[in-house]
Amino acid sequence: MAGYQILIVEDDEGLNQGIALALREEGLSFHRACTLAQARQIWRTERIDLVILDVNLPDGSGYDLLSEIRQGSGPRAATPVLMLTANDLETDEITGFSLGADDYITKPFSLMVLRARVERTRKRMGGQAADPDQQEHPDYRDERYQFSFLEMTFLVDGEETVLSKTDQKLLRLFTRHPGQILSRDRLLEAVWPDGTRYVDENALSVAVNRLRRRLEGREKTCPIQTVYGLGYVWRRKNA
């Protein structure tokens, strides 16, 4: 297969096929899996650009595959993952985002909405984000951190860490505006430009805390500080 390759992991055969048909266009290729085992095999053997992943599968949880993807190495660990679930529960959504999901859709959903989410994800991956804060900018470096957003390499105390697309979008905004308090609303709009009405506010706290853990390094500290009632700020050491 060539072009942009999407892995659809959904045990409902009709919905699985419907998603592929709804997204079909020139330049897209699809791999379809109905079980976790099938999805793992495809992930190991194919170059996948985006994963649409159901949470509830006959032989396990989609969260397990999400964790395996994020704990991998190299650029593949940052492959965008869009989660599907039949459970309209806040805890499920927070679990997905804490593990590094890029988006989250609750069933039943419109295939046109899914298509719009996938298209936005592809544009963001291609550097076509409408928000100037998400456009390419120079690498960030200080005494602890070396970040290259173009090459997707992120060093913390000299050791590489893997960041999801959500992590990268937050980090890009923080390092673009060091010392500036960024409101929760601004961060929500930057991370989920599809519309914050689809995202529980707690998801931002989960995402920021996850990024903090990624950046703690040997010193067990992170420049991202909470400004209560206002938002968050990136403070350089000695700043």
Coordinates of all heavy atoms in Angstrom, one line a residue, residues 76-160:
R76 N 7.4 6.8 15.2 CA 6.1 6.0 15.2 C 5.4 6.1 16.6 O 4.2 6.0 16.6 CB 6.5 4.5 15.0 CG 6.6 4.2 13.5 CD 7.2 2.8 13.3 NE 6.4 1.8 13.9 CZ 5.3 1.1 13.3 NH1 5.0 1.5 12.1 NH2 4.7 0.2 13.9
A77 N 6.2 6.4 17.6 CA 5.5 6.6 18.9 C 4.6 7.8 19.0 O 3.8 7.9 19.9 CB 6.6 6.6 20.0
A78 N 4.8 8.7 18.1 CA 3.9 9.9 18.1 C 2.8 9.8 17.0 O 2.1 10.8 16.8 CB 4.8 11.1 17.8
T79 N 2.6 8.6 16.4 CA 1.5 8.5 15.5 C 0.2 8.9 16.1 O -0.2 8.5 17.2 CB 1.4 7.0 15.0 OG1 2.7 6.6 14.4 CG2 0.3 6.8 14.0
P80 N -0.6 9.8 15.4 CA -1.8 10.2 16.0 C -2.8 9.0 16.1 O -2.9 8.2 15.2 CB -2.3 11.2 15.0 CG -1.6 11.0 13.7 CD -0.3 10.4 14.1
V81 N -3.5 9.0 17.3 CA -4.5 8.0 17.6 C -5.8 8.6 18.0 O -5.9 9.5 18.9 CB -4.0 7.1 18.7 CG1 -5.1 6.0 19.1 CG2 -2.7 6.4 18.4
L82 N -6.9 8.3 17.3 CA -8.2 8.7 17.6 C -9.0 7.6 18.2 O -9.2 6.6 17.5 CB -8.9 9.2 16.3 CG -10.2 10.0 16.3 CD1 -10.3 10.9 15.1 CD2 -11.4 9.1 16.5
M83 N -9.5 7.8 19.4 CA -10.2 6.7 20.1 C -11.7 6.7 19.9 O -12.3 7.8 19.8 CB -9.9 6.8 21.6 CG -8.4 6.8 22.1 SD -7.6 5.3 21.7 CE -8.5 4.1 22.7
L84 N -12.3 5.5 19.8 CA -13.7 5.4 19.7 C -14.2 4.6 20.9 O -13.5 3.6 21.3 CB -14.1 4.6 18.4 CG -13.5 5.1 17.1 CD1 -14.0 4.1 16.0 CD2 -14.0 6.5 16.7
T85 N -15.3 5.0 21.5 CA -15.8 4.3 22.6 C -17.4 4.4 22.6 O -17.9 5.4 22.2 CB -15.3 4.8 23.9 OG1 -15.8 4.0 25.0 CG2 -15.6 6.3 24.2
A86 N -18.0 3.3 23.2 CA -19.4 3.3 23.4 C -19.8 3.8 24.8 O -20.9 4.0 25.1 CB -20.0 1.9 23.2
N87 N -18.7 4.1 25.6 CA -19.0 4.5 26.9 C -18.9 6.1 27.0 O -17.8 6.6 26.8 CB -17.9 3.9 27.9 CG -18.0 2.4 27.9 OD1 -19.1 1.8 27.8 ND2 -16.9 1.7 27.9
D88 N -20.0 6.7 27.3 CA -19.9 8.2 27.5 C -19.6 8.5 28.9 O -20.4 9.1 29.7 CB -21.3 8.7 27.1 CG -21.3 10.2 27.0 OD1 -20.2 10.8 27.0 OD2 -22.4 10.8 27.0
L89 N -18.4 8.1 29.3 CA -18.0 8.3 30.7 C -16.7 9.2 30.7 O -15.8 9.1 30.0 CB -17.6 7.0 31.4 CG -18.8 6.0 31.5 CD1 -18.3 4.7 32.1 CD2 -19.9 6.6 32.4
E90 N -16.7 10.2 31.7 CA -15.6 11.1 31.8 C -14.3 10.4 32.1 O -13.3 10.7 31.6 CB -15.9 12.1 32.9 CG -14.8 13.1 33.2 CD -15.2 14.1 34.3 OE1 -16.2 14.8 34.1 OE2 -14.5 14.1 35.3
T91 N -14.4 9.3 32.9 CA -13.2 8.6 33.3 C -12.6 7.9 32.1 O -11.3 7.8 32.0 CB -13.5 7.5 34.4 OG1 -14.6 6.7 33.9 CG2 -13.9 8.1 35.7
D92 N -13.4 7.4 31.1 CA -12.8 6.8 29.9 C -12.1 7.8 29.1 O -11.0 7.6 28.5 CB -14.0 6.2 29.1 CG -14.5 4.9 29.8 OD1 -13.8 4.3 30.6 OD2 -15.6 4.5 29.4
E93 N -12.7 9.0 29.0 CA -12.1 10.1 28.2 C -10.8 10.5 28.8 O -9.8 10.7 28.1 CB -13.1 11.3 28.1 CG -12.6 12.3 27.1 CD -13.7 13.4 26.9 OE1 -14.9 13.1 27.0 OE2 -13.3 14.5 26.5
I94 N -10.8 10.7 30.1 CA -9.5 11.1 30.8 C -8.5 10.0 30.6 O -7.3 10.3 30.4 CB -9.8 11.4 32.2 CG1 -10.7 12.7 32.3 CG2 -8.5 11.6 33.0 CD1 -11.1 13.0 33.7
T95 N -8.9 8.7 30.7 CA -7.9 7.6 30.6 C -7.3 7.7 29.2 O -6.0 7.6 29.0 CB -8.6 6.3 30.7 OG1 -9.1 6.2 32.1 CG2 -7.6 5.2 30.5
G96 N -8.1 7.9 28.2 CA -7.5 8.0 26.8 C -6.5 9.1 26.6 O -5.5 9.0 26.1
F97 N -6.9 10.3 27.1 CA -6.0 11.5 27.0 C -4.7 11.3 27.8 O -3.6 11.7 27.4 CB -6.7 12.8 27.3 CG -7.7 13.2 26.3 CD1 -9.0 13.6 26.6 CD2 -7.3 13.4 25.0 CE1 -9.9 14.0 25.7 CE2 -8.2 13.8 24.0 CZ -9.5 14.1 24.3
S98 N -4.9 10.7 29.0 CA -3.7 10.5 29.9 C -2.7 9.5 29.2 O -1.5 9.6 29.5 CB -4.1 10.0 31.2 OG -4.6 8.7 31.2
L99 N -3.2 8.6 28.4 CA -2.3 7.6 27.7 C -1.8 8.2 26.4 O -0.9 7.6 25.8 CB -3.1 6.3 27.5 CG -3.4 5.5 28.7 CD1 -4.3 4.3 28.3 CD2 -2.2 5.0 29.4
G100 N -2.2 9.4 26.0 CA -1.7 10.0 24.8 C -2.5 10.0 23.6 O -2.1 10.3 22.5
A101 N -3.9 9.8 23.8 CA -4.8 9.8 22.6 C -4.8 11.3 22.1 O -4.7 12.2 22.9 CB -6.2 9.4 23.0
D102 N -4.9 11.4 20.8 CA -5.0 12.7 20.2 C -6.5 13.3 20.1 O -6.7 14.5 20.0 CB -4.4 12.7 18.8 CG -2.9 12.5 18.9 OD1 -2.1 13.4 19.0 OD2 -2.5 11.3 18.8
D103 N -7.4 12.4 20.1 CA -8.8 12.8 20.0 C -9.7 11.6 20.5 O -9.2 10.5 20.6 CB -9.2 13.1 18.5 CG -10.3 14.1 18.5 OD1 -11.0 14.3 19.5 OD2 -10.5 14.7 17.4
Y104 N -10.9 11.9 20.7 CA -11.8 10.9 21.4 C -13.2 11.2 20.9 O -13.7 12.3 21.0 CB -11.7 11.2 22.9 CG -12.1 10.1 23.8 CD1 -11.2 9.2 24.3 CD2 -13.5 9.8 24.1 CE1 -11.6 8.2 25.2 CE2 -13.8 8.8 24.9 CZ -12.9 8.0 25.5 OH -13.3 6.9 26.3
I105 N -13.9 10.1 20.4 CA -15.2 10.2 19.9 C -16.1 9.2 20.5 O -15.7 8.0 20.5 CB -15.3 10.1 18.3 CG1 -14.5 11.2 17.7 CG2 -16.7 10.2 17.8 CD1 -14.5 11.2 16.2
T106 N -17.3 9.6 21.0 CA -18.2 8.6 21.6 C -19.3 8.2 20.6 O -19.8 9.0 19.9 CB -18.9 9.3 22.8 OG1 -17.9 9.8 23.8 CG2 -19.8 8.4 23.5
K107 N -19.5 6.9 20.6 CA -20.5 6.3 19.8 C -21.9 6.6 20.4 O -22.1 6.6 21.6 CB -20.4 4.8 19.6 CG -19.0 4.4 19.0 CD -18.9 2.8 19.1 CE -17.6 2.4 18.6 NZ -17.5 0.9 18.7
P108 N -23.0 6.7 19.5 CA -22.9 6.8 18.1 C -22.4 8.2 17.6 O -22.6 9.2 18.3 CB -24.4 6.6 17.7 CG -25.1 7.2 18.8 CD -24.3 6.8 20.1
F109 N -21.7 8.2 16.5 CA -21.2 9.4 16.0 C -21.5 9.5 14.5 O -21.7 8.5 13.8 CB -19.7 9.6 16.2 CG -18.9 8.4 15.7 CD1 -18.5 8.3 14.4 CD2 -18.6 7.3 16.5 CE1 -17.8 7.2 13.9 CE2 -17.8 6.2 16.0 CZ -17.5 6.2 14.7
S110 N -21.4 10.7 14.0 CA -21.6 10.9 12.5 C -20.3 10.6 11.8 O -19.2 11.1 12.2 CB -22.0 12.4 12.3 OG -21.8 12.8 10.9
L111 N -20.4 9.9 10.7 CA -19.2 9.6 9.9 C -18.6 10.9 9.3 O -17.4 10.9 9.1 CB -19.5 8.6 8.8 CG -19.8 7.1 9.3 CD1 -20.2 6.3 8.2 CD2 -18.6 6.5 10.0
M112 N -19.5 11.9 9.1 CA -19.0 13.1 8.6 C -18.1 13.9 9.6 O -17.1 14.5 9.3 CB -20.1 14.0 8.1 CG -20.9 13.4 6.9 SD -19.7 13.0 5.5 CE -19.2 14.7 5.1
V113 N -18.6 13.8 10.9 CA -17.8 14.4 12.0 C -16.4 13.7 12.1 O -15.4 14.3 12.2 CB -18.6 14.3 13.3 CG1 -17.6 14.7 14.5 CG2 -19.8 15.2 13.3
L114 N -16.5 12.3 12.0 CA -15.2 11.6 12.0 C -14.3 12.0 10.9 O -13.1 12.2 11.1 CB -15.5 10.1 12.0 CG -14.3 9.2 11.9 CD1 -13.4 9.3 13.1 CD2 -14.7 7.7 11.7
R115 N -14.9 12.1 9.7 CA -14.1 12.5 8.6 C -13.4 13.9 8.8 O -12.2 14.1 8.5 CB -14.9 12.6 7.3 CG -14.2 13.0 6.0 CD -15.1 13.0 4.8 NE -14.4 13.4 3.7 CZ -13.8 12.6 2.8 NH1 -13.9 11.3 3.1 NH2 -13.2 13.0 1.8
A116 N -14.2 14.8 9.4 CA -13.6 16.2 9.7 C -12.5 16.1 10.7 O -11.5 16.8 10.5 CB -14.8 17.1 10.2
R117 N -12.7 15.3 11.7 CA -11.6 15.1 12.7 C -10.3 14.5 12.1 O -9.2 15.0 12.4 CB -12.1 14.2 13.8 CG -13.3 14.7 14.6 CD -13.0 15.5 15.8 NE -14.2 15.7 16.5 CZ -14.5 15.2 17.7 NH1 -13.6 14.4 18.3 NH2 -15.6 15.5 18.4
V118 N -10.5 13.5 11.2 CA -9.3 12.9 10.6 C -8.6 13.9 9.7 O -7.4 14.1 9.6 CB -9.8 11.7 9.8 CG1 -8.6 11.2 8.9 CG2 -10.2 10.6 10.7
E119 N -9.4 14.7 8.9 CA -8.8 15.7 8.0 C -8.1 16.8 8.8 O -7.0 17.2 8.4 CB -9.9 16.4 7.2 CG -10.5 15.4 6.1 CD -11.6 16.1 5.3 OE1 -12.1 17.1 5.7 OE2 -12.0 15.4 4.3
R120 N -8.6 17.2 9.9 CA -7.9 18.2 10.7 C -6.6 17.6 11.3 O -5.6 18.3 11.3 CB -8.8 18.7 11.8 CG -9.9 19.6 11.4 CD -10.6 20.2 12.6 NE -11.7 21.0 12.1 CZ -13.0 20.7 12.1 NH1 -13.3 19.5 12.4 NH2 -13.9 21.5 11.7
T121 N -6.6 16.4 11.7 CA -5.4 15.7 12.2 C -4.4 15.6 11.1 O -3.2 15.9 11.4 CB -5.8 14.3 12.7 OG1 -6.7 14.4 13.8 CG2 -4.5 13.6 13.2
R122 N -4.8 15.3 9.9 CA -3.8 15.2 8.8 C -3.2 16.5 8.5 O -2.0 16.7 8.2 CB -4.5 14.6 7.6 CG -4.9 13.2 7.7 CD -5.6 12.7 6.4 NE -4.7 12.8 5.3 CZ -5.2 12.9 4.0 NH1 -6.5 13.0 3.7 NH2 -4.3 13.0 3.0
K123 N -4.0 17.6 8.5 CA -3.5 18.9 8.3 C -2.5 19.4 9.3 O -1.5 20.0 9.0 CB -4.6 19.9 8.2 CG -5.5 19.8 6.9 CD -6.6 20.8 6.9 CE -7.4 20.6 5.6 NZ -8.6 21.6 5.5
R124 N -2.8 19.1 10.6 CA -1.9 19.4 11.7 C -0.6 18.7 11.5 O 0.5 19.2 11.7 CB -2.5 19.1 13.0 CG -3.7 20.1 13.4 CD -4.0 20.0 14.9 NE -4.4 18.7 15.3 CZ -5.6 18.3 15.4 NH1 -6.6 19.0 15.0 NH2 -5.9 17.1 15.8
M125 N -0.7 17.4 11.1 CA 0.5 16.6 11.0 C 1.4 17.2 9.8 O 2.6 17.1 9.8 CB 0.2 15.2 10.7 CG -0.4 14.4 11.9 SD 0.8 14.2 13.1 CE 1.9 13.0 12.3
G126 N 0.7 17.8 8.8 CA 1.4 18.3 7.6 C 1.9 19.7 7.8 O 2.3 20.3 6.9
G127 N 1.7 20.3 9.1 CA 2.2 21.6 9.3 C 1.3 22.7 8.7 O 1.8 23.8 8.5
Q128 N 0.0 22.4 8.6 CA -0.9 23.4 8.0 C -1.8 23.9 9.0 O -2.9 24.4 8.7 CB -1.7 22.7 6.9 CG -0.9 22.1 5.8 CD -1.7 21.4 4.8 OE1 -2.9 21.7 4.5 NE2 -1.1 20.4 4.2
A129 N -1.5 23.9 10.3 CA -2.3 24.4 11.3 C -2.7 25.9 11.1 O -1.8 26.7 10.8 CB -1.7 24.2 12.7
A130 N -3.9 26.2 11.4 CA -4.4 27.6 11.2 C -3.9 28.5 12.3 O -3.6 29.7 12.1 CB -5.9 27.7 11.1
D131 N -3.7 27.9 13.5 CA -3.2 28.7 14.6 C -1.7 29.0 14.5 O -0.9 28.1 14.4 CB -3.5 27.9 15.9 CG -3.1 28.6 17.2 OD1 -2.5 29.7 17.1 OD2 -3.5 28.2 18.3
P132 N -1.3 30.3 14.5 CA 0.1 30.6 14.3 C 1.0 30.0 15.4 O 2.2 29.8 15.2 CB 0.1 32.1 14.3 CG -1.1 32.5 14.9 CD -2.1 31.5 14.6
D133 N 0.4 29.8 16.6 CA 1.2 29.2 17.7 C 1.5 27.8 17.4 O 2.5 27.2 18.0 CB 0.3 29.2 19.0 CG 0.3 30.6 19.6 OD1 1.4 31.3 19.5 OD2 -0.7 31.0 20.2
Q134 N 0.9 27.1 16.4 CA 1.2 25.7 16.1 C 2.0 25.6 14.8 O 2.3 24.6 14.3 CB -0.1 24.9 16.0 CG -0.9 24.8 17.3 CD -0.1 24.2 18.4 OE1 0.7 23.3 18.2 NE2 -0.3 24.7 19.6
Q135 N 2.3 26.8 14.2 CA 3.2 26.8 13.0 C 4.6 26.5 13.5 O 5.0 26.6 14.6 CB 3.1 28.1 12.3 CG 1.8 28.5 11.8 CD 1.4 27.7 10.6 OE1 2.2 26.9 10.0 NE2 0.1 27.7 10.1
E136 N 5.5 26.1 12.5 CA 6.8 25.8 12.8 C 7.6 27.0 13.4 O 7.3 28.1 13.0 CB 7.6 25.3 11.5 CG 8.7 24.4 11.8 CD 8.3 23.2 12.6 OE1 7.5 22.4 12.2 OE2 8.9 23.0 13.7
H137 N 8.4 26.8 14.3 CA 9.3 27.8 14.9 C 10.6 27.3 15.3 O 10.8 26.0 15.3 CB 8.5 28.5 16.0 CG 8.3 27.7 17.2 ND1 9.3 27.5 18.2 CD2 7.3 26.9 17.6 CE1 8.8 26.7 19.2 NE2 7.7 26.3 18.8
P138 N 11.6 28.1 15.6 CA 12.9 27.6 15.9 C 12.9 26.6 17.0 O 12.1 26.6 17.9 CB 13.7 28.9 16.2 CG 13.0 30.0 15.5 CD 11.5 29.6 15.5
D139 N 13.9 25.7 17.0 CA 14.1 24.8 18.1 C 14.2 25.5 19.4 O 14.7 26.6 19.5 CB 15.3 23.9 17.8 CG 15.2 23.0 16.6 OD1 14.1 23.0 16.1 OD2 16.2 22.5 16.1
Y140 N 13.8 24.8 20.5 CA 14.0 25.3 21.8 C 15.1 24.7 22.5 O 15.3 23.4 22.5 CB 12.7 25.1 22.6 CG 12.8 25.6 24.1 CD1 12.5 26.9 24.4 CD2 13.2 24.8 25.1 CE1 12.6 27.4 25.7 CE2 13.3 25.2 26.4 CZ 13.0 26.5 26.7 OH 13.1 26.9 28.0
R141 N 16.0 25.5 23.1 CA 17.1 24.9 23.9 C 17.4 25.7 25.1 O 17.3 27.0 25.1 CB 18.4 24.9 23.0 CG 18.3 24.0 21.8 CD 19.6 24.1 21.0 NE 19.5 23.3 19.8 CZ 19.8 22.0 19.7 NH1 20.2 21.4 20.8 NH2 19.6 21.4 18.5
D142 N 17.7 25.0 26.2 CA 18.2 25.7 27.4 C 19.1 24.7 28.1 O 19.5 23.7 27.5 CB 17.1 26.2 28.3 CG 16.2 25.1 28.9 OD1 16.6 23.9 29.0 OD2 15.0 25.4 29.3
E143 N 19.5 24.9 29.4 CA 20.5 24.1 30.0 C 20.0 22.6 30.2 O 20.8 21.7 30.4 CB 21.0 24.7 31.3 CG 19.9 24.8 32.4 CD 20.4 25.6 33.6 OE1 21.0 26.6 33.4 OE2 20.1 25.1 34.7
R144 N 18.7 22.4 30.2 CA 18.1 21.1 30.4 C 17.5 20.5 29.2 O 17.4 19.2 29.1 CB 17.1 21.1 31.6 CG 17.7 21.5 33.0 CD 16.6 21.2 34.0 NE 16.2 19.8 34.0 CZ 15.0 19.4 34.5 NH1 14.1 20.2 34.9 NH2 14.7 18.1 34.5
Y145 N 16.9 21.3 28.3 CA 16.1 20.8 27.3 C 16.6 21.2 25.9 O 17.1 22.3 25.7 CB 14.7 21.4 27.4 CG 14.0 21.0 28.8 CD1 13.9 22.0 29.7 CD2 13.6 19.7 29.0 CE1 13.3 21.7 31.0 CE2 13.0 19.4 30.3 CZ 12.8 20.4 31.2 OH 12.3 20.1 32.4
Q146 N 16.4 20.2 25.0 CA 16.7 20.5 23.5 C 15.5 19.9 22.8 O 15.4 18.6 22.7 CB 18.0 19.8 23.1 CG 19.3 20.4 23.7 CD 19.6 19.8 25.1 OE1 19.6 18.6 25.2 NE2 19.9 20.7 26.0
F147 N 14.7 20.7 22.2 CA 13.5 20.3 21.5 C 13.6 20.7 20.0 O 13.8 21.8 19.7 CB 12.3 20.9 22.1 CG 12.1 20.7 23.5 CD1 11.6 21.7 24.3 CD2 12.3 19.5 24.1 CE1 11.3 21.5 25.7 CE2 12.2 19.3 25.5 CZ 11.7 20.3 26.3
S148 N 13.4 19.7 19.1 CA 13.3 20.0 17.7 C 11.9 19.5 17.2 O 11.6 18.3 17.2 CB 14.3 19.2 16.9 OG 14.1 19.3 15.5
F149 N 11.0 20.5 17.0 CA 9.6 20.1 16.6 C 9.6 19.6 15.1 O 8.7 18.9 14.7 CB 8.7 21.3 16.7 CG 8.5 21.7 18.2 CD1 9.3 22.7 18.8 CD2 7.6 21.1 19.0 CE1 9.2 23.1 20.1 CE2 7.5 21.4 20.3 CZ 8.2 22.4 20.9
L150 N 10.6 20.0 14.3 CA 10.6 19.6 12.9 C 11.0 18.1 12.9 O 10.4 17.3 12.2 CB 11.6 20.4 12.1 CG 11.7 20.0 10.6 CD1 10.4 20.2 9.9 CD2 12.8 20.9 9.9
E151 N 12.0 17.7 13.6 CA 12.5 16.4 13.6 C 11.8 15.5 14.6 O 12.1 14.3 14.7 CB 14.0 16.3 13.9 CG 14.8 17.1 12.8 CD 16.3 17.1 13.0 OE1 16.7 16.4 14.1 OE2 17.1 17.7 12.3
M152 N 11.0 16.1 15.5 CA 10.3 15.4 16.5 C 11.3 14.7 17.5 O 11.1 13.5 17.8 CB 9.2 14.5 16.0 CG 8.1 15.2 15.3 SD 6.6 14.2 15.0 CE 7.3 13.0 13.9
T153 N 12.3 15.4 17.9 CA 13.2 14.8 18.9 C 13.2 15.7 20.1 O 13.3 17.0 20.0 CB 14.7 14.7 18.3 OG1 15.1 16.0 17.9 CG2 14.7 13.7 17.2
F154 N 13.1 15.1 21.3 CA 12.9 15.9 22.5 C 13.9 15.3 23.6 O 13.7 14.2 24.0 CB 11.5 15.9 22.9 CG 10.5 16.3 21.9 CD1 9.9 15.4 21.0 CD2 10.3 17.6 21.7 CE1 9.1 15.8 20.0 CE2 9.4 18.0 20.6 CZ 8.8 17.1 19.8
L155 N 14.9 16.1 23.9 CA 15.9 15.6 24.9 C 15.6 16.3 26.3 O 15.5 17.6 26.3 CB 17.3 15.9 24.4 CG 17.7 15.3 23.1 CD1 19.2 15.6 22.8 CD2 17.6 13.7 23.2
V156 N 15.6 15.5 27.3 CA 15.4 16.0 28.7 C 16.7 15.6 29.5 O 16.9 14.4 29.6 CB 14.1 15.5 29.3 CG1 14.0 16.0 30.8 CG2 12.9 15.9 28.5
D157 N 17.5 16.5 29.9 CA 18.7 16.2 30.7 C 19.6 15.2 29.8 O 20.2 14.3 30.4 CB 18.4 15.6 32.0 CG 17.7 16.6 32.9 OD1 17.9 17.8 32.8 OD2 16.9 16.1 33.8
G158 N 19.6 15.4 28.5 CA 20.4 14.6 27.6 C 19.8 13.3 27.2 O 20.4 12.6 26.4
E159 N 18.6 13.0 27.7 CA 18.0 11.7 27.3 C 16.7 12.0 26.5 O 16.0 12.9 26.9 CB 17.7 10.9 28.6 CG 18.9 10.5 29.4 CD 18.6 9.6 30.6 OE1 17.4 9.3 30.7 OE2 19.5 9.2 31.3
E160 N 16.5 11.2 25.5 CA 15.3 11.4 24.6 C 14.1 10.9 25.3 O 14.0 9.8 26.0 CB 15.5 10.7 23.3 CG 14.4 11.0 22.3 CD 14.7 10.5 20.9 OE1 15.8 9.8 20.7 OE2 13.9 10.8 20.0

